[in-house]
Amino acid sequence: MMLTSVILTSGITKPLYFMRLLTRLFAMGILFTLCSTVVFAQSVSVSGTVKSSETGEGINAASVTVTGGTTGTYTKPNGSFELKVNALPVKLTVSSVGYEALELTVSDATPVAVSLVPRNVLGQEVVVAASRTSERLIESPVTVERVSTAAIQNAPAADYYDVVASLKGVDVVTSSLTFKTPTTRGFMGSGNLRFNQIVDGMDNQAPGLNFSVGSVIGTTQLDVESMELLPGASSALYGPGGMNGTLVINSKNPFRYQGLSFELKEGVMHMGDDARGASMFNNYALRWGQKVSDKFAYKIAAEYTSAKDWVAQDYRNYQRIGTDGRPIPGSRQTDPNYDGINVYGDETTADLRQVLTGIAGQAPFLASYINTLTGSPINVSRTGYNEADIIDPTTKNFKLSGSVNWKITPNTEMILAGNWGTGNTVYTGSDRYSLKDLKMGQYKLELVNRNWFVRAWTTQENAGESFNATVTTRLTNEAWLASGGATGWYAQYGQAYLNAKLAGMSDPDAHTVARAFADRDRPDANSAVFKRMFDSVRSIPISKGGGLFVDKTDLYSVEGQYNFSHITGKVVDLLVGGNYKRYVLNSEGTLFADSAGTIPINEYGAYVQASRNIGDVVKLTFAGRYDKNQNFKGRFTPRATAVFKVVPNNNIRFSYQTAYRFPSTQQQWINLNVGGNTMLIGGQPQFWDFYNFRTNKVYYLNELVNNNQLVPYDFVKYKPESVSSFELGYKGLLADDRLMVDVYGYYGQYRNFLTRTLLVQGKENEPPTQATALSDNIYSVPTNIQDKVKTYGFGVSLDYRLYGNFMLGGNLSSDRLSDLPPGFVSFFNSPKYRTNLSISNTGFGSKDRFAFNIAYRWQDDFYYNGDFANGQVPHINVVDAQVSYKLPEAKSVIKLGANNLLNQYYVNAIGNARVGGLYYISFGYNVF
């Protein structure tokens, strides 16, 4: 009986019908907008240029609007603009980020020359993510960090995603060159489920693989307009998953950012790498934005990256207990049961006593001697292959994005947009996965108005030729020479071992000789024979005995929001919104329990937010959200914030926020063999029936292995987890508005904390024993911790603007976890302390053409928990730097930079790649 036959209880609404419904809804929305709007006429043209008063350079994307009206435009890359108005004279407001706004009156059609004065006041940037409404950064009711286009261009980073690592309170897990996962306030890991990443309103998480792919697929480098980071709970406005934070990435609108932009970046990496020689890094990005008319604009952007990936080369011996374990002493030379962390294929292990006992039965005259060897287990593992030998090091990543924008009215814009990408990268989950030819597309249709929006979007995922490196290598060993049988690998090993012992060799020498004999014809990793066998195994789906995992899961979503403040503003600013999601799991039995058909999961939710200013001193905001998943009871998450103005530009903020997450698609329906006798399964009740847990009971593995106690596991339906968080903070300007200080402290409590626990099941009517536990059936299942798990921490940052465009920055943060019950793995994975220091300048020297940025990152050592491996992560010291030179006449910039300038190789998760220096030079055209 297939597990899916137990699961499927209803038919699935076809995505085609779903999309037809969306099309009808959008058509109705457009018709309503057109019927309710008076067409406006424009007849007089006003033109001119907007330049910086300091440098004389044209300012790109500056806003030029009719004062008090809705008519407006944006400057082109050279600072020029043209605007049609009803009549002259007309009053215009010209503004741009980082400059003082200017009002002027235009009386005739003569081109005007506008000179904007740079504004050096910190904290004046406008953010939207904190409250889903526009507000100054310094007045935000919760902690928020903003990264602008200019900051990205001046950052000492080869990729915009790397900039996030320097923000206050951020941890990053680097699985490979192009797979990086940021998080805040603990619980760091590859594919963090407690941290949302949203790109242009679309959740960037792969719906089946359960990790965000922003560094692999999404917005390209040149199309990023800004990034806004919300540390901590954010579910009240952004829905499930925002337990520890939300990263909102916004792309550039083609009405505002026009013309051709491109960047060519060449570099070198793997300097001093003993596992891989020095190799080239290539990155090419291109963007074209075009405003066809006042009503139509479009953009297209592409980015290509190629390099030899970083290498995971932790060869320490590892003792595995299901998906748990720890590093132990020993090497292949000293331990016959050696299992290297980044060595694959050596997970296959057997007790040699069984082979020797068989020999004793065939040769009774040796029985007495063999009995002296078999008093205790003689565990022996197969010989494995290093990661560098089996995973193609060539990383290739191609991103393509674009949009068509139509201004239906001055206040309403329709956007048809899409992001698509493909590439190779490496991901760490329960094993190391080679994501080969991964493809993912996100497509949306959106109507945006000053007071409301409605959007429908879909995520289409295809794992391509991705495979499990551990499983594939183990099966390749079996394809070369089976482990069992009379002539199998262990039989040959056992015979050679016995002969060596009879010859008087020591035990270590006997094992060395036996391994050499059993491996005598073992193909080299670089041989054609090995590659042929390996490629054959990795092309067979896991469900059919290979290493390939298939994943073609889709996600469909509709969401909308309406801001009633223009109606209710005299009493309260009111915001309402809601969404609907439908997951369609499709892994053909290789990842999920869907061998008999796709599995649907439906979610929906709604939220409301009300805020009010009390005088000019206090702003109060209350919000609440309700969400429902078809497999779980509904959840309500409230939020309350208060901002107190002490003096102008100095505010104290307090917030009470709640967040939650439903168990992920994998926590619900995964059904994956992660090696030998260990299964990673979901928490749905159907699994208990399929694996016969109700009659053949399961027990806690750790209790049996460590304490020799049979503690039964009673089935209790798992629940969504939630967190309640209190935060107190201060943000203000001091020292003549040249110093911005941001301080926060928080305390949070998790309820129904979701984790995994290991269970063991013996043979029918034969409970497992301490001796048989590791060879019996082992299951990793999701479960809740009933006790309240507590987190707390703080963060402080100082940004000081010196004279001459020099800027000093620094931050220190800490996150802690307490009250975790013994025996449960938290995956908190956060250092006790971390800090970032920087000094930068955006324009100095002759005509302010030079710029630079030097940043230093340090984090304390910490113990890392993961399904793949556990262990101590050493502290990290990293210096990043860049220096650039502008060519204003050519609208270009040349940059020389380095990630990890001092080439101090480090890891930030056990079993992940060692990250070394990346040195590059780039040429960018119209990149600001």
Side-chain angles (χ1 to χ4, degrees), residues 268-280 308-309 311 905:
V268 62
M269 49 194 293
H270 297 294
M271 304 294 289
D273 190 342
D274 55 1
R276 187 160 291 158
S279 61
M280 295 298 295
K308 299 291 185 183
D309 211 335
V311 185
Y905 279 84

Side-chain angles (χ1 to χ4, degrees), residues 43-221:
S43 57
V44 182
S45 178
V46 176
S47 63
T49 58
V50 181
K51 296 184 178 181
S52 168
S53 64
E54 272 194 356
T55 65
E57 297 178 39
I59 300 174
N60 183 30
S63 172
V64 182
T65 61
V66 175
T67 304
T70 59
T71 303
T73 188
Y74 297 100
T75 58
K76 294 181 179 180
N78 62 358
S80 66
F81 71 90
E82 183 177 359
L83 176 65
K84 292 182 179 180
V85 297
N86 291 329
L88 294 176
V90 65
K91 183 177 286 188
L92 301 180
T93 299
V94 183
S95 62
S96 182
V97 176
Y99 293 88
E100 297 284 353
L102 178 69
E103 286 190 356
L104 72 156
T105 300
V106 180
S107 302
D108 55 45
T110 303
V112 297
V114 180
S115 182
L116 295 185
V117 178
R119 180 176 59 181
N120 295 321
V121 180
L122 298 167
Q124 305 307 305
E125 302 96 324
V126 173
V127 295
V128 178
S131 302
R132 280 192 177 265
T133 58
S134 299
E135 58 198 354
R136 290 195 305 158
L137 175 65
I138 204 166
E139 296 173 342
S140 171
V142 295
T143 300
V144 61
E145 307 277 349
R146 186 180 189 276
V147 181
S148 65
T149 301
I152 292 172
Q153 289 301 323
N154 198 51
D159 182 79
Y160 76 88
Y161 226 71
D162 295 328
V163 179
V164 179
S166 64
L167 300 179
K168 177 169 67 266
V170 173
D171 294 313
V172 175
V173 172
T174 305
S175 294
S176 55
L177 176 66
T178 55
F179 199 106
K180 299 165 186 175
T181 304
T183 192
T184 59
R185 302 191 178 177
F187 304 105
M188 179 173 67
S190 296
N192 187 358
L193 297 172
R194 295 181 175 90
F195 187 85
N196 285 333
Q197 295 185 48
I198 298 173
V199 178
D200 287 340
M202 299 179 288
D203 189 339
N204 192 239
Q205 185 179 105
L209 298 177
N210 282 174
F211 48 69
S212 291
V213 291
S215 57
V216 181
I217 295 166
T219 304
T220 63
Q221 173 93 3

Side-chain angles (χ1 to χ4, degrees), residues 418-431:
N419 298 325
W420 181 86
T422 183
N424 305 333
T425 189
V426 182
Y427 164 70
T428 307
S430 55
D431 286 306

Side-chain angles (χ1 to χ4, degrees), residues 697-705 707-713 760-762 766-770 772-773 776:
K697 289 189 175 296
V698 289
Y699 303 86
Y700 285 102
L701 178 64
N702 286 327
E703 288 290 339
L704 185 56
V705 171
N707 304 318
N708 196 22
Q709 294 182 359
L710 272 176
V711 179
Y713 181 83
V760 59
Q761 180 187 53
E766 293 183 21
T769 66
Q770 190 176 36
T772 66
D776 284 326

Side-chain angles (χ1 to χ4, degrees), residues 459-507:
T459 301
Q460 306 287 308
E461 180 183 338
N462 189 331
E465 298 180 23
S466 301
F467 62 92
N468 182 315
T470 304
V471 171
T472 301
T473 311
R474 291 178 64 244
L475 294 175
T476 300
N477 265 342
E478 298 297 325
W480 164 63
L481 181 61
S483 294
T487 59
W489 190 87
Y490 279 104
Q492 295 186 33
Y493 188 107
Q495 186 64 58
Y497 171 79
L498 180 60
N499 291 337
K501 293 293 291 183
L502 290 171
M505 289 187 179
S506 66
D507 204 59

